[in-house]
Amino acid sequence: MGNELLSFLVMVIVQFAFAGMIIISKLVMDGGMNAFVQSAYRPIFATISIAPFAFFFERKTRPRITRSILFQIFLCSIFGITANQYVYFIGLKNSTPTIASAIDNLIPAFTFLIAVPLGVEKLGLKSIAGQAKFWGTIACVGGAMLLSLYHGKVVIGQLGFHWKYAENTGKDVNSSHSNFFLGPFLLIMSSLTYAIWLIIQGRVSEKYAAPYTCITLMCLMASVESVIIGFCVVPNLSEWALNPIRAISVIYNGVMATSFTYFLSLWCIEKKGPLYVSMFNPLLLIISAFLSWTLFREKLYLGIVVGSIIVVAGLYGFLWGKKMETNEEDIKEKKESTKLQVDLELQLHNSKQISSDFSQKLGS
């Protein structure tokens, strides 16, 4: 019971940490911080904060790194951090925290769509599990399209509460709907790049069993890439200056929303499995929507509410199918293991019988 509660609390903390990243990033970008600058700082602080874990936990067990693995980690840094962050933060700047959190639930669906042609996942439409994964994926994508392209009437209006700091940024989060296509489109691309990273990272993890070292190298490479791209796009040094709220944002994003959440998620994956961790993704949507409604006075439109519900329903349908498929594979493996054990026992019995018969013949 204690382990169950601890795992639950850990995943709730992770989702609150991610929600904090979305809210504070939206705040500082609405206040004038360039998205390219925001993206460049995050992997720098992530590298600094996660490197000690790699040194103390893996210095004696770290396997030798090859050129092939290093190249794959380089690809991970591009898709998982550099490209992912750029499209995510620019998309968030042109959208709302609620939409960003809803579209994050597309990641498992996109991962499935990419994994099927590569042979990593099986479509299996003849089975109930395969159909659940397929229709769950369709629902996720359809819900994302709905909340991206259709708003409709206001379901929940602005809260009367006023947060002075957010008002001083001069931006109304609801005005970002003038870019309602650009923001969600970039956020969808962010989920796609993250899904590509998951596929590549899966291959890296099989060959290089040192996750902290891997993420440190990935963040280090992404730091170099992001700084180079950032200075090319934003050459004015004054825009790289960090006032207190911007410093809090980039440090929080690097330390809390990257290193800390990665550490907790990795621990929970080891204890409960990746499926358990994925089931908490919709909680991020609820937290972000509530914070955005209360702090930024975001209006919730019919298209966003219905689209988010469809996305979450599709996600759980997909996860249900995945769990069913995993259970079927476990049962199949147990049956094969039992059959193999029976065959071995039968062979051993036959060997003993042959040996006994041979001994009897020698005695006679």
Side-chain angles (χ1 to χ4, degrees):
M1 186 65 182
N3 289 333
E4 289 288 336
L5 180 61
L6 181 59
S7 299
F8 175 82
L9 291 176
V10 163
M11 287 313 304
V12 171
I13 291 171
V14 167
Q15 299 308 319
F16 268 102
F18 281 138
M21 180 201 73
I22 295 173
I23 296 298
I24 197 171
S25 297
K26 177 67 175 174
L27 179 67
V28 296
M29 287 189 293
D30 284 352
M33 187 175 191
N34 191 286
F36 284 88
V37 175
Q38 173 86 350
S39 300
Y41 274 118
R42 181 183 178 183
I44 294 174
F45 286 101
T47 304
I48 295 171
S49 59
I50 205 168
F53 291 100
F55 178 76
F56 288 109
F57 290 169
E58 298 175 344
R59 58 178 175 175
K60 295 181 180 179
T61 60
R62 186 185 302 119
R64 188 177 68 88
I65 191 167
T66 64
R67 290 183 180 180
S68 174
I69 293 173
L70 196 62
F71 177 70
Q72 291 180 49
I73 293 175
F74 170 70
L75 292 178
C76 286
S77 71
I78 293 176
F79 288 103
I81 299 181
T82 305
N84 176 265
Q85 283 191 148
Y86 281 140
V87 291
Y88 184 84
F89 282 125
I90 297 172
L92 177 61
K93 187 175 182 179
N94 290 279
S95 187
T96 69
T98 302
I99 293 177
S101 303
I103 291 177
D104 268 351
N105 291 291
L106 280 174
I107 293 173
F110 278 145
T111 306
F112 175 67
L113 290 175
I114 297 171
V116 169
L118 295 177
V120 179
E121 285 276 353
K122 295 180 181 179
L123 191 58
L125 288 178
K126 293 182 179 180
S127 66
I128 297 177
Q131 292 174 12
K133 291 195 299 180
F134 175 77
W135 290 113
T137 300
I138 296 297
C140 282
V141 176
M145 293 298 102
L146 178 63
L147 68 87
S148 302
L149 302 176
Y150 173 73
H151 285 158
K153 64 180 182 180
V154 176
V155 177
I156 302 177
Q158 291 180 333
L159 185 68
F161 172 79
H162 295 269
W163 187 24
K164 291 295 184 182
Y165 192 91
E167 289 182 349
N168 291 338
T169 62
K171 293 285 184 72
D172 180 6
V173 70
N174 299 288
S175 68
S176 63
H177 288 293
S178 59
N179 294 318
F180 72 91
F181 178 77
L182 176 63
F185 173 76
L186 291 176
L187 291 169
I188 290 172
M189 290 299 101
S190 172
S191 295
L192 180 60
T193 57
Y194 195 85
I196 294 172
W197 170 74
L198 286 174
I199 298 295
I200 302 173
Q201 183 62 43
R203 300 286 180 88
V204 174
S205 299
E206 290 176 0
K207 299 176 181 178
Y208 192 71
Y212 295 111
T213 301
C214 181
I215 198 70
T216 299
L217 291 172
M218 189 171 68
C219 289
L220 180 61
M221 292 177 182
S223 299
V224 177
E225 296 158 6
S226 299
V227 168
I228 292 174
I229 296 172
F231 271 113
C232 289
V233 178
V234 189
N236 189 353
L237 289 177
S238 63
E239 293 195 45
W240 289 78
L242 297 177
N243 58 28
I245 187 64
R246 292 186 181 185
I248 291 172
S249 174
V250 296
I251 293 173
Y252 178 91
N253 289 349
V255 178
M256 291 293 294
T258 304
S259 300
F260 182 66
T261 55
Y262 178 81
F263 178 81
L264 292 182
S265 298
L266 186 65
W267 177 87
C268 207
I269 287 172
E270 291 176 353
K271 296 292 182 181
K272 305 292 291 184
L275 194 65
Y276 181 85
V277 174
S278 300
M279 289 176 65
F280 283 83
N281 284 356
L283 180 60
L284 174 62
L285 170 60
I286 297 171
I287 298 170
S288 298
F290 177 77
L291 292 177
S292 185
W293 177 62
T294 54
L295 300 180
F296 293 142
R297 304 175 68 199
E298 179 185 353
K299 297 176 182 178
L300 296 182
Y301 294 84
L302 178 63
I304 295 175
V305 173
V306 175
S308 298
I309 292 172
I310 294 174
V311 169
V312 172
L315 171 67
Y316 278 122
F318 175 87
L319 294 176
W320 178 77
K322 185 66 178 175
K323 182 176 179 58
M324 183 182 293
E325 185 181 68
T326 303
N327 291 339
E328 289 174 355
E329 290 176 354
D330 290 341
I331 293 172
K332 185 178 178 181
E333 288 179 1
K334 287 180 180 178
K335 287 182 177 179
E336 291 177 351
S337 177
T338 303
K339 184 177 180 298
L340 181 61
Q341 185 177 358
V342 170
D343 290 342
L344 288 174
E345 289 177 354
L346 184 60
Q347 290 177 11
L348 181 61
H349 178 269
N350 291 337
S351 298
K352 289 181 178 179
Q353 186 66 40
I354 292 171
S355 177
S356 176
D357 293 343
F358 184 70
S359 298
Q360 290 176 2
K361 287 180 180 181
L362 285 177
S364 63

